[in-house]
Amino acid sequence: MRNAPTILHLDMDAFFAQAEQASKPSLRGKAVVVGGLGPRGVVATASYEARVFGVHSAMPMAQARRLAPNAAYLVPRGAFYRRISDQVMALLRALSPLVEPLSLDEAFVDLEAGEAAWDSESARLAGVRLRADIRAATGLTGSVGLAASKMLAKIASEQAKPDGLVLIEPGTERSLLAPMPVRTLPGVGPATGDHLRRAGIATVGEMVEAGEDELVRLLGKAHGHALYAMALARDDRPVVAERETKSVSVEDTYDVDIHDRVRVELEVQRLADRCVRRLRGAGLSGRTIVLKVRRYDFSTLTRSETLRGPTDDPAVVREAAARLLDAVDTTGGVRLLGVGVSGLADFTQEDLFAQAAEVRAAEVRAAEVRAEGPEDEAPEEPAVAEVVPAEHRWRPGLDVRHAELGHGWVQGSGLGRVTVRFETPGSGVGRVRTFRIDDPDLEPAQPLPLVPRRPDGAPADTAGRVPAVGPRPGNGR
């Protein structure tokens, strides 16, 4: 444990939903739910206005609609959220070289490593400045926790929500934790919490009173020792700047079970291609191909095959995934499919058999062309763009542009029509119009930035920015 609260935990407030509200003036102050909108969709994020009705993350979307029927239900815009996340993470890395992202909207920062803070006062000022910089750069709010350990910094940020800052002074940790429920501690989920409650242990203070031996008896050696240390506020885990990627995977859940074996095979091939694109985008390759199949009865099967060397060849990954699928019975129907690659490396080893097959195929094609003669050679066919179904082009929440009316977003679609609200992050509440889904003047668009930018990329207005923390006394800076 440190002697100063120089570990910071940032958690953006209801990140996806807040970003949607900032992007769409008509949704500000209203209940917004972001997630999968199909019959089997789940809630990714709910705004605080939606949480009043009991809606929360990971809840089935059908249940959310029953609880908050008048909320706005939108599909996630992943690329939009990632751009905002990149802005936030850049601000964190300006504070310290030790930034440990946990997700798009959450990270630990070691302020001491970047000499951004060294005591309680400088840590608080760093946290205040960070929150102001995030608001200036993105227009969004985040909650900050400051403490002498990662566990306590995360607890502090939870207490700070929404849009606040909480600092836990060193020496006050145990008295702060004592009255909190056991579920406050990381590693205490619903099952462990119920087990402790049945043993008469409901708070962190009661865990300490029960003693380490009793926790080991109830929970096992490793878990018992770890939770007792946490109950005493002991946490020496460092902030780790880089987390090693162990696997790359993609998966899709289908609104209706797939029974057609040919369709299943085509979906696996498509997922394999998506997985390889993500793999190559990260500059990685992998040796182990993994297939995940969740069947109609919710049973989940995972099959894997390890290659002789790492690859990022889509043909190799497709072939391996197809072989794995051959060993899986899908006659009852499939509700989820996934393809992943693990055993990652930053280099590739060519598959000699696949390479040889490609060479032989090329030789055969060349021989056929020579036999037919140049006058019989067929012209190369142009690449065909993937056709996006209309119901996917016009999903609620996605950005569109009209040739005359400008930028807007889809409120809903159906029966051959799409309803659009025309507004931008900097406008007032916009007007609503309805069009045919094949209207030639309407097309998908890229999201607009939440904060207007100057030509140099800086926010157009940084009013309200808190002055930077001054140099540490005596450090020569």
Side-chain angles (χ1 to χ4, degrees), residues 180-186 188 192-193 196-197 201-204 207:
M180 292 183 174
V182 295
R183 290 287 304 277
T184 302
L185 299 181
V188 181
T192 301
L196 290 171
R197 181 180 52 78
I201 301 172
T203 67
V204 176
M207 292 178 71

Side-chain angles (χ1 to χ4, degrees), residues 25 65 67 75 105 142 186 204 221 224 235 281-282 289 319 406 414 450 457 462 473:
R65 289 184 183 275
L67 293 172
V75 296
D105 62 336
V204 176
K221 186 174 181 180
D235 178 20
I289 314 303
E319 291 168 6
L450 297 181
T462 56

Side-chain angles (χ1 to χ4, degrees), residues 106-452:
E106 183 181 3
F108 287 110
V109 183
D110 187 334
L111 298 176
E112 192 173 304
E115 297 187 348
W118 49 91
D119 58 15
S120 295
E121 181 182 0
S122 58
R124 185 182 295 277
L125 285 173
V128 170
R129 180 191 174 197
L130 173 65
R131 293 179 59 239
D133 286 348
I134 289 173
R135 183 185 286 273
T138 68
L140 305 183
T141 64
S143 296
V144 166
L146 293 154
S149 70
K150 290 168 72 172
M151 178 188 77
L152 289 162
K154 184 171 176 61
I155 290 172
S157 71
E158 283 296 319
Q159 291 185 320
K161 283 187 168 294
D163 190 21
L165 182 151
V166 168
L167 183 149
I168 299 176
E169 289 283 359
T172 67
E173 296 93 348
R174 287 187 59 177
S175 60
L176 177 78
L177 286 175
M180 292 183 174
V182 295
R183 290 287 304 277
T184 302
L185 299 181
V188 181
T192 301
D194 288 343
H195 191 49
L196 290 171
R197 181 180 52 78
R198 288 194 296 269
I201 301 172
T203 67
V204 176
E206 289 170 349
M207 292 178 71
V208 175
E209 292 175 5
E212 188 171 15
D213 292 342
E214 177 65 6
L215 292 179
V216 168
R217 186 187 70 80
L218 289 170
L219 305 173
K221 186 174 181 180
H223 204 189
H225 284 311
L227 288 184
Y228 185 70
M230 290 181 185
L232 294 175
R234 296 173 184 165
D235 178 20
D236 294 322
R237 294 174 299 158
V239 176
V240 181
E242 296 295 335
R243 286 173 165 263
E244 182 183 359
T245 302
K246 298 185 181 298
S247 64
V248 173
S249 62
V250 296
E251 62 182 43
D252 277 343
T253 300
Y254 304 100
D255 293 342
V256 179
D257 290 348
I258 301 175
H259 293 84
D260 182 0
R261 180 70 179 194
V262 174
R263 167 84 187 282
V264 172
E265 292 170 351
L266 290 174
E267 288 293 317
V268 168
Q269 299 297 293
R270 183 179 61 82
L271 288 167
D273 287 340
R274 277 176 54 196
C275 184
V276 169
R277 287 197 296 271
R278 183 172 294 184
L279 193 71
R280 288 181 168 179
L284 297 170
S285 59
R287 294 186 62 209
T288 301
I289 314 303
V290 181
L291 175 71
K292 179 180 177 182
V293 180
R294 180 167 297 151
R295 299 189 291 192
Y296 69 99
D297 58 358
F298 287 88
S299 62
T300 302
L301 303 177
T302 303
R303 300 288 184 267
S304 64
E305 175 182 319
T306 299
L307 308 173
R308 293 175 301 162
T311 184
D312 64 353
D313 186 332
V316 174
V317 176
R318 283 197 300 267
E319 291 168 6
R323 287 193 296 270
L324 294 170
L325 182 62
D326 286 341
V328 177
D329 180 10
T330 63
T331 52
V334 169
R335 59 184 291 121
L336 177 147
L337 290 168
V339 174
V341 178
S342 60
L344 301 181
D346 56 2
F347 64 93
T348 61
Q349 178 175 314
E350 294 296 334
D351 186 307
L352 299 181
F353 289 119
Q355 189 177 42
E358 289 176 4
V359 171
R360 287 195 299 271
E363 291 174 344
V364 169
R365 286 195 298 271
E368 291 174 346
V369 169
R370 286 193 299 270
E372 293 171 354
E375 67 277 9
D376 297 324
E377 189 172 339
E380 183 177 347
E381 294 184 4
V384 179
E386 182 181 359
V387 177
V388 180
E391 61 270 20
H392 290 169
R393 276 172 66 96
W394 311 121
R395 289 182 294 177
L398 295 184
D399 295 83
V400 296
R401 175 167 291 280
H402 189 271
E404 295 181 6
L405 300 174
H407 193 93
W409 59 277
V410 176
Q411 282 198 324
S413 63
L415 301 177
R417 300 280 177 173
V418 54
T419 300
V420 177
R421 185 180 288 274
F422 290 96
E423 58 187 8
T424 66
S427 73
V429 174
R431 56 180 173 173
V432 176
R433 292 282 300 273
T434 299
F435 307 89
R436 300 192 316 274
I437 60 172
D438 58 353
D439 191 312
D441 289 337
L442 192 67
E443 62 181 3
Q446 293 298 315
L448 298 177
L450 297 181
V451 176

